[in-house]
Amino acid sequence: MKSNAASRQTNKVEVSVYECEIHLKFRLIEEKCALGDRDELLDLLIEAFTSGADDYMELIEMRVETEEIADLDASPQMRRQLMRLRNSSELT
Amino acid sequence: MKSNAASRQTNKVEVSVYECEIHLKFRLIEEKCALGDRDELLDLLIEAFTSGADDYMELIEMRVETEEIADLDASPQMRRQLMRLRNSSELT
């Protein structure tokens, strides 16, 4: 058990939990019927956005933020995954 | 059934400009070095998000909004594209 060393952050793999925030605002030319399906809406918009700005899409605003947070703020499932990763030497 | 909308705007194809807003907030397990490249950050986060919630990603908040806006609020390039689409019968 090298738990002490591990807790002082001598991790083999430097993984952490991050709180990520993406805010995108853009104008999009689209067919009216295409935006009606709420379930598909996010996928459709993300696809439209990631295909890049052109005559069909113009970016208005984009904000991306990441912040490292304490492990304890994540769910138990996520913390377990984190422990597995930190104790594994397989991850590169 | 299609008489009202169709007769008020005699567009062959019902395309419009929409202002779209996506707000995503989630926790993500990631290697520290992976988030350092600002240019790649958005792509990496979108990919992580779209691969779905699992032990590596948990959703905190998601908001998706679309609002039809007046053509005049779009750029000239976008308006031209809109005219082309409305005057074309090729779009399906």
Side-chain angles (χ1 to χ4, degrees), chain B residues 37-61:
Chain B
D37 186 342
R38 294 295 301 179
D39 293 337
E40 299 291 327
L41 187 59
L42 179 64
D43 289 344
L44 184 146
L45 293 184
I46 285 182
E47 206 181 310
F49 178 84
T50 51
S51 68
D54 55 17
D55 290 349
Y56 288 83
M57 193 278 282
E58 52 187 36
L59 182 65
I60 303 173
E61 197 186 326

Side-chain angles (χ1 to χ4, degrees), chain A residues 5-19:
Chain A
S7 64
R8 257 183 275 121
Q9 290 204 324
T10 49
N11 308 321
K12 290 177 198 159
V13 180
E14 284 268 30
V15 284
S16 289
V17 184
Y18 293 86
E19 198 161 283

Side-chain angles (χ1 to χ4, degrees), chain A residues 14 16 18 20-30 32 38 56 58 64 73 75 78 81, chain B residues 14 16 18 20-28 30 32 38 56 58 64 73 75 78 81:
Chain A
E14 284 268 30
S16 289
Y18 293 86
C20 308
E21 209 163 346
I22 299 176
H23 184 241
L24 305 173
K25 198 170 172 182
F26 53 97
R27 293 191 193 97
L28 180 69
I29 292 181
E30 191 47 272
K32 294 199 178 193
R38 293 297 299 181
Y56 287 83
E58 52 187 35
V64 186
D73 289 335
S75 69
M78 199 169 240
Q81 185 61 42
Chain B
E14 283 268 27
S16 288
Y18 294 85
C20 307
E21 210 163 347
I22 300 176
H23 184 242
L24 305 173
K25 198 170 172 183
F26 53 97
R27 294 192 194 96
L28 180 69
E30 192 46 272
K32 293 197 180 195
R38 294 295 301 179
Y56 288 83
E58 52 187 36
V64 185
D73 289 335
S75 69
M78 200 169 238
Q81 185 61 41

Side-chain angles (χ1 to χ4, degrees), chain A residues 40-58:
Chain A
E40 299 292 327
L41 187 59
L42 179 64
D43 289 344
L44 185 145
L45 293 184
I46 284 182
E47 206 181 311
F49 179 83
T50 52
S51 68
D54 55 16
D55 290 349
Y56 287 83
M57 193 278 283
E58 52 187 35

